[in-house]
């Protein structure tokens, strides 16, 4: 129940709830991965159940696909959808230009493919995700398992000429074994501290053999919906140059959120 949530979870919930209002009947919707995106899936599931909303969702991970089916959303593949009306996803960091770091949940490859196959991308986040400069959150890059240590060395060598503060790359682990993405790849987390030129870094990283994709999302996000622990929600539209604010009230009631 929403009244039992921590302030950070309330912020995530109100951002997701507000963003769900942008979803209309008949839409093909990209469904993101992560804790904030999970709130969105549940909000949409509630509308499907209670209001008869008819949408088709394209999930960006097996975790999201399982949750979407659980709450009653019709799940299809991106190949079946071909193109999407809207993708809503979370972010690990975003700046004033709505450039993002994503991939903390390990689904950056599918997330970027789905987001770029959409008419519009909306990011939902709590206020703590906004930064002046990207890079405090480690930048994930997805690499193929073959020769990953060589790829890591090439990445660290390349970072010497980039406008970043740090150059350490670490293999993401899942317990004592390397983390494995839905595509069977590994994740290298780049501890950069601060990224001076995100656009340049994104292009250069993707030129390194073994790198599949990086977690910098540049010129992809159209809107960001920012939630606050007191129920306030701020929506920024980078294309329209507008900022709007409203507030969502919390109601103690049994619903799709009662098991969170």
């Amino acid at each position: 129940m929403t009244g039992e949530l921590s302030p950070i979870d309330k912020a995530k919930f109100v951002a997701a709830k507000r963003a769900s209002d942008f979803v209309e009947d008949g839409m093909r919707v990209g469904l993101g991965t992560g804790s904030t995106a999970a709130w969105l899936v549940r909000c949409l599931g509630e509308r499907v159940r209670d209001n008869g909303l008819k949408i088709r969702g394209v999930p960006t991970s097996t975790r999201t696909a399982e949750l979407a089916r659980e709450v009653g959303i019709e799940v299809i593949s991106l190949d079946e959808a071909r193109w999407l009306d809207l993708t809503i996803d979370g972010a690990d960091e975003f700046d004033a230009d709505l450039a993002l770091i994503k991939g903390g949940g390990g689904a950056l490859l599918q997330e970027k493919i789905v987001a770029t196959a959409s008419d519009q991308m909306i990011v939902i986040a709590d206020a703590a995700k906004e930064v002046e400069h990207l890079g405090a959150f480690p930048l994930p890059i997805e690499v193929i398992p073959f020769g990953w240590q060589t790829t890591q060395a090439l990445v660290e060598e390349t970072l010497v000429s980039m406008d970043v503060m740090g150059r350490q790359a670490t293999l993401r682990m899942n317990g004592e074994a390397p983390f494995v993405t839905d595509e069977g790849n590994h994740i290298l987390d780049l501890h950069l501290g601060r990224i001076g030129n995100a656009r340049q870094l994104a292009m250069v990283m993707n030129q390194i053999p073994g790198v599949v994709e990086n977690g910098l999302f540049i010129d992809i996000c159209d809107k960001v919906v920012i939630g606050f622990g007191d129920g306030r929600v701020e929506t920024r539209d980078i294309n329209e140059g507008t900022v709007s604010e409203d507030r969502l009230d919390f109601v103690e009631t049994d619903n799709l959120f009662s098991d969170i």
Side-chain angles (χ1 to χ4, degrees):
M1 292 178 281
T2 53
E4 298 172 351
L5 299 177
S6 66
I8 190 71
D9 280 333
K10 286 181 180 178
K12 293 177 179 181
F13 167 71
V14 295
K17 186 74 169 176
R18 178 67 186 89
S20 71
D21 293 339
F22 291 103
V23 178
E24 301 175 0
D25 209 52
M27 277 188 168
R28 293 161 296 181
V29 183
L31 304 174
T33 295
S35 59
T36 311
W39 285 110
L40 170 81
V41 174
R42 290 181 177 271
C43 286
L44 292 176
E46 190 173 45
R47 288 182 61 192
V48 168
R49 184 193 68 186
D50 296 343
N51 306 118
L53 177 70
K54 291 181 172 59
I55 60 171
R56 289 179 290 172
V58 175
T60 54
S61 68
T62 54
R63 300 192 304 280
T64 297
E66 291 168 359
L67 178 59
R69 292 189 181 98
E70 178 186 320
V71 300
I73 297 173
E74 180 185 354
V75 172
I76 61 174
S77 69
L78 182 58
D79 288 335
E80 291 173 298
R82 299 184 65 84
W83 194 259
L84 305 178
D85 300 289
L86 174 64
T87 287
I88 306 178
D89 203 348
D92 298 302
E93 285 185 347
F94 69 91
D95 66 12
D97 297 321
L98 302 195
L100 320 170
I101 286 183
K102 289 181 52 54
L108 66 96
L109 177 58
Q110 290 190 22
E111 287 173 337
K112 188 174 281 191
I113 292 171
V114 169
T116 54
S118 306
D119 287 336
Q120 183 177 199
M121 181 193 190
I122 298 176
V123 160
I124 47 178
D126 59 89
K129 299 298 194 302
E130 183 172 12
V131 296
E132 184 175 356
H133 299 286
L134 298 177
F137 189 91
L139 172 66
I141 60 173
E142 186 157 339
V143 301
I144 65 170
F146 175 80
W148 71 264
Q149 290 175 306
T150 300
T151 303
Q152 178 181 2
L154 288 170
V155 167
E156 291 177 334
E157 181 180 341
T158 302
L159 288 172
V160 173
S161 61
M162 295 290 100
D163 185 7
V164 295
M165 290 180 62
R167 299 193 298 272
Q168 183 186 16
T170 58
L171 180 68
R172 186 178 299 184
M173 303 296 290
N174 181 16
E176 296 185 0
F179 176 85
V180 179
T181 70
D182 280 353
E183 303 302 319
N185 297 318
H186 295 331
I187 297 282
L188 292 177
D189 289 308
L190 311 188
H191 304 272
L192 307 178
R194 179 183 182 277
I195 299 172
N197 189 332
R199 188 183 306 275
Q200 179 191 46
L201 181 62
M203 291 189 295
V204 170
M205 285 295 103
N206 279 11
Q207 299 304 309
I208 298 174
V211 174
V212 180
E213 188 53 82
N214 68 83
L216 286 166
F217 284 51
I218 312 296
D219 298 331
I220 296 176
C221 178
D222 299 283
K223 290 188 181 76
V224 62
V225 180
I226 308 165
F228 297 83
D230 60 1
R232 287 182 298 121
V233 182
E234 182 179 296
T235 303
R236 301 180 195 169
D237 188 316
I238 194 72
N239 300 314
E240 300 293 334
T242 58
V243 178
S244 61
E245 186 171 308
D246 56 276
R247 182 184 296 272
L248 275 67
D249 294 325
F250 298 106
V251 179
E252 286 279 357
T253 181
D254 288 329
N255 55 24
L256 288 173
F257 312 101
S258 60
D259 62 344
I260 296 181

